[in-house]
Amino acid sequence: MRRYPPIADHGLVGDLQTAALISSDGVVDWFCAPRFDSPSLFAALLDHKRGGHFAITVDGADVTTRQLYLADTAVLITRFLTPDGVGEVVDFMPVERAETATDRHRLVRVMRVTRGRVRFALACRPRFDYGRAVHRLDLHPDIAHFSGPGTDAFLRSAGPVTLRRDGEDVRGVVELGHGERAAVVLTVCATGAEPPAPPTVESLRADFDGTRGFWYRWLRRSRYRGRWQDTVNRSAITLKLLTYAPTGAPVAAATAGLPEQPGGERNWDYRYTWVRDASLSMQALLGLGFTDEAVAFRRWLGERVRAGHTVTGEPLQIMYRIDGDPHLAEETLDHLEGYRGSAPVRVGNGAADQLQLDIYGEAVHALTRTDDLAHGAGYDGWLGLAGLLDWLTGNWDRPDEGIWETRGGRQDFTYSRVMCWTAFDRGIRLARDFARPADLSGWTAARDAILRQVMERGWSPRREAFVQHYGSEVLDASLLLMPAVGFITPRDPRWLSTLDAMERELVSDSLVYRYDPAASPDGLRGSEGTFSLCSFLYVDALARAGRVDQARYAFDKMLTYANHVGLFAEEIGPTGEQLGNFPQAFTHLALIGSALALDEELARTQR
């Protein structure tokens, strides 16, 4: 077992309430339960020794591993190729009544041999509460019961698996020949819950068929028939896996604390729902035809607007827990060394109380994305939306922390102004289209004032480009969204010169940096890699600008940075390694958007 496998060397399985990362060695390195944002049970990615893991590996020398998804599903297969035989571990989490929150979650791990004979080795070493809590083991021949604070974990075996005590952990071995199978099922539940029934051949087959069938049925709802079918399908499945089904709220990523720079301090907890990320995720899924997900998120977001319960006193805050709780107190886990020594390890997120005015644009755009969604909000929903825009008329012209959550002080960020313009633009359209009561004169005046201000103060004549914030000369890749939201036409001379300036300064072999931290200090030490969201936004902007060949080349090159099963983290490092929390919704939603834009432009030009 490797001490710290590359971040990208993992696949993701989940049941739409939580998820697990499994390395290509067959090791569960990350798993929180019962929710994405719950304390971890396995967190070896953040501390190899203290974090805990659940490994199923193959004994012997000269073992080669391969990992893949069963096509169009979230069933992960890890293959072990040895001189004596070929074995596989099939990992999945059954999706059962996902819309009902539960504290019981199952990870099924099936071992099978397709050639020769293979000896599997199992080690289950849970570490409750991010490794802070001790646990007790009660071991029987076919079941191991781990008792932690408020949580029980049961490991049950099927087939000739021998479980042995290893302190308060368990080990096991099983040797299988061609066509033979065995399995273990990890069930996590609340303390005192009924132990799970022993798995049988029939129950395991039903679990597998049900999980595979769920993903087949879900993906059939996609209307995407473009050039990158498999890639877009994988991104859609990833966005679905990162969505908490009971509320419809997507998380930004499945993990916490993975570094933007190995050994650095940019290590954040992304297991929460950012209004911005979630709104854009739902727009991407909606673009593929997944309306149920968009409706569920719109309901969650509407509840946040109506509740108005934030730690900042603003109508919305930038992020929430997946159940809508606005309290995300940040703490440092000093007992964990961090991924490859990247400390501090943080859980919770102190940026929750920041002012980021762009979220109002993303939220209003998500709430007014289509006519059927607009109608579904009803009159009460409209009043909540109108109240939000009324508040924004008096608050859009404030310095804020901006989309990148800088901790170096508030500025007049151009992107924040652009998205405030978007909020007013969409609200005005909706009020007119559906004859809803609104302060149209106030909203229109604010919208027009923002546009004039951005064109005058957000534009640098010297750089011939729109800049990060007023009074600066720094470029910012978030502005790649300007034509996508309709603030400026994609072939406007000002926009084309901005695109050229970004290409000279922020683009490296089609990979795009967010901005230059040296030119615009963000209050943090260290550097970061190129931001994969921005790389895909660059493709989108190129396509809209008519630079189709360049856009397609950049897109195809970007796809080469995907991991072995098609997943992306937050950033790409200097040598092509994936960095940051993993997998990241931002990246996958932008991939979908750029594929749709490219398909549309290629169809228009008949290429």
Side-chain angles (χ1 to χ4, degrees), residues 43-383:
L45 267 179
L46 298 181
D47 194 302
H48 174 80
K49 182 178 180 180
R50 300 180 183 87
H53 64 265
F54 181 12
I56 298 181
T57 56
V58 167
D59 285 342
D62 300 324
V63 178
T64 302
T65 63
R66 297 286 188 270
Q67 197 172 56
L68 69 153
Y69 278 113
L70 184 63
D72 293 341
T73 76
V75 176
L76 188 68
I77 302 171
T78 305
R79 309 193 75 212
F80 299 88
L81 287 67
T82 78
D84 299 320
V86 176
E88 297 180 341
V89 176
V90 181
D91 285 302
F92 61 93
M93 295 184 69
V95 181
E96 302 170 312
R97 298 182 297 278
E99 287 74 20
T100 302
T102 178
D103 58 17
R104 182 178 289 262
H105 300 274
R106 292 189 296 145
L107 172 62
V108 180
R109 313 199 71 187
V110 178
M111 295 159 278
R112 63 190 186 189
V113 173
T114 60
R115 182 178 61 81
R117 296 193 67 80
V118 173
R119 181 181 174 87
F120 294 93
L122 176 153
C124 188
R125 301 171 57 84
R127 295 295 182 266
F128 293 80
D129 190 24
Y130 304 113
R132 291 182 293 196
V134 298
H135 68 273
R136 186 181 73 254
L137 170 65
D138 186 14
L139 181 63
H140 298 280
D142 66 343
I143 184 171
H145 177 197
F146 303 95
S147 301
T151 304
D152 284 347
F154 296 92
L155 184 66
R156 298 213 68 146
S157 62
V161 181
T162 302
L163 300 179
R164 296 188 176 92
R165 178 181 286 273
D166 181 13
E168 295 300 309
D169 305 319
V170 298
R171 293 186 176 273
V173 294
V174 58
E175 185 170 330
L176 302 175
H178 172 73
E180 294 180 334
R181 302 180 181 220
V184 288
V185 179
L186 179 72
T187 303
V188 182
C189 52
T191 297
E194 284 292 320
T200 64
V201 172
E202 293 76 16
S203 68
L204 290 170
R205 169 55 65 180
D207 285 337
F208 176 81
D209 289 343
T211 303
R212 180 180 59 179
F214 170 85
W215 290 107
Y216 284 166
R217 290 189 300 274
W218 183 78
L219 201 56
R220 279 200 297 268
R221 293 163 43 204
S222 173
R223 60 173 178 241
Y224 182 76
R225 301 294 181 269
R227 294 165 176 79
W228 296 278
Q229 188 80 53
D230 291 342
T231 298
V232 169
N233 284 355
R234 181 53 52 198
S235 287
I237 289 171
T238 303
L239 292 182
K240 180 69 171 175
L241 280 170
L242 294 176
T243 300
Y244 184 65
T247 63
V251 296
T255 57
L258 294 181
E260 297 176 17
Q261 179 187 33
E265 67 170 336
R266 300 166 185 262
N267 317 314
W268 315 111
D269 190 346
Y270 277 14
R271 299 170 299 153
Y272 307 114
T273 300
W274 272 254
V275 169
R276 173 192 310 109
D277 303 39
S279 297
L280 295 174
S281 292
M282 289 305 104
Q283 290 175 45
L285 288 176
L286 193 58
L288 301 178
F290 294 105
T291 56
D292 289 350
E293 286 71 21
V295 169
F297 174 67
R298 187 211 67 212
R299 185 181 304 114
W300 180 91
L301 183 57
E303 289 171 356
R304 307 285 75 74
V305 173
R306 289 190 294 275
H309 178 47
T310 64
V311 297
T312 62
E314 318 290 349
L316 284 175
Q317 67 183 49
I318 67 170
M319 72 181 91
Y320 300 83
R321 292 189 179 275
I322 50 182
D323 59 1
D325 185 346
H327 300 284
L328 291 86
E330 185 174 293
E331 60 176 319
T332 299
L333 303 180
D334 291 323
H335 65 289
L336 299 180
E337 71 174 8
Y339 177 81
R340 298 186 179 178
S342 302
V345 174
R346 301 180 179 93
V347 294
N349 202 302
D353 62 356
Q354 287 191 357
L355 177 66
Q356 296 176 21
L357 290 167
D358 70 281
I359 66 171
Y360 294 96
E362 286 108 5
V364 173
H365 186 54
L367 290 169
T368 60
R369 180 68 169 78
T370 62
D371 289 353
D372 58 325
L373 293 184
H375 278 306
Y379 181 68
D380 291 336
W382 171 255
L383 291 180

Side-chain angles (χ1 to χ4, degrees), residues 234-235 238-239 284 566-568 583-593:
R234 181 53 52 198
S235 287
T238 303
L239 292 182
L567 303 182
F568 285 91
Q584 195 207 29
F586 239 172
T587 304
H588 286 278
L589 69 88
L591 184 157
I592 292 171

Side-chain angles (χ1 to χ4, degrees), residues 340-542:
R340 298 186 179 178
S342 302
V345 174
R346 301 180 179 93
V347 294
N349 202 302
D353 62 356
Q354 287 191 357
L355 177 66
Q356 296 176 21
L357 290 167
D358 70 281
I359 66 171
Y360 294 96
E362 286 108 5
V364 173
H365 186 54
L367 290 169
T368 60
R369 180 68 169 78
T370 62
D371 289 353
D372 58 325
L373 293 184
H375 278 306
Y379 181 68
D380 291 336
W382 171 255
L383 291 180
L385 181 64
L388 187 151
L389 288 170
D390 289 341
W391 176 88
L392 196 60
T393 57
N395 288 275
W396 65 264
D397 196 16
R398 295 167 60 187
D400 68 348
E401 275 87 4
I403 180 176
W404 305 130
E405 297 176 4
T406 59
R407 301 193 180 192
R410 293 181 176 181
Q411 300 285 349
D412 292 309
F413 284 102
T414 305
Y415 177 75
S416 296
R417 299 297 196 276
V418 169
M419 294 311 296
C420 287
W421 176 93
T422 303
F424 289 119
D425 178 72
R426 303 307 188 267
I428 292 166
R429 292 186 193 183
L430 198 65
R432 287 175 174 166
D433 288 347
F434 298 104
R436 293 293 185 262
D439 179 15
L440 283 176
S441 61
W443 296 359
T444 302
R447 181 199 63 185
D448 295 347
I450 294 170
L451 191 142
R452 285 192 296 268
Q453 186 188 87
V454 169
M455 291 299 183
E456 293 169 3
R457 300 179 61 194
W459 170 260
S460 167
R462 188 182 73 81
R463 300 298 306 272
E464 294 186 323
F466 292 101
V467 292
Q468 184 181 64
H469 58 80
Y470 300 165
S472 78
E473 298 291 314
V474 177
L475 302 180
D476 191 319
S478 66
L479 298 177
L480 287 164
L481 278 166
M482 290 176 73
V485 299
F487 185 88
I488 194 168
T489 60
R491 304 189 189 189
D492 183 289
R494 284 196 179 197
W495 175 247
L496 294 178
S497 65
T498 299
L499 199 55
D500 291 338
M502 288 187 183
E503 184 173 354
R504 291 191 298 269
E505 186 169 309
L506 298 182
V507 180
S508 173
D509 191 32
S510 300
L511 300 176
V512 182
Y513 291 94
R514 294 190 292 180
Y515 55 92
D516 180 1
S520 179
D522 57 12
L524 297 166
R525 297 188 305 273
S527 61
E528 61 181 18
T530 57
F531 211 71
S532 296
L533 161 74
C534 299
S535 298
F536 283 119
L537 293 182
Y538 178 58
V539 171
D540 187 293
L542 288 172

Side-chain angles (χ1 to χ4, degrees), residues 3-76:
R3 184 172 177 83
Y4 287 109
I7 290 170
D9 200 19
H10 293 83
L12 180 75
V13 299
D15 63 2
L16 310 187
Q17 296 191 20
T18 187
L21 288 185
I22 303 171
S23 76
S24 64
D25 297 329
V27 180
V28 181
D29 279 328
W30 180 259
F31 179 55
C32 301
R35 308 188 325 187
F36 294 106
D37 56 355
S38 298
S40 64
L41 187 67
F42 305 118
L45 267 179
L46 298 181
D47 194 302
H48 174 80
K49 182 178 180 180
R50 300 180 183 87
H53 64 265
F54 181 12
I56 298 181
T57 56
V58 167
D59 285 342
D62 300 324
V63 178
T64 302
T65 63
R66 297 286 188 270
Q67 197 172 56
L68 69 153
Y69 278 113
L70 184 63
D72 293 341
T73 76
V75 176
L76 188 68

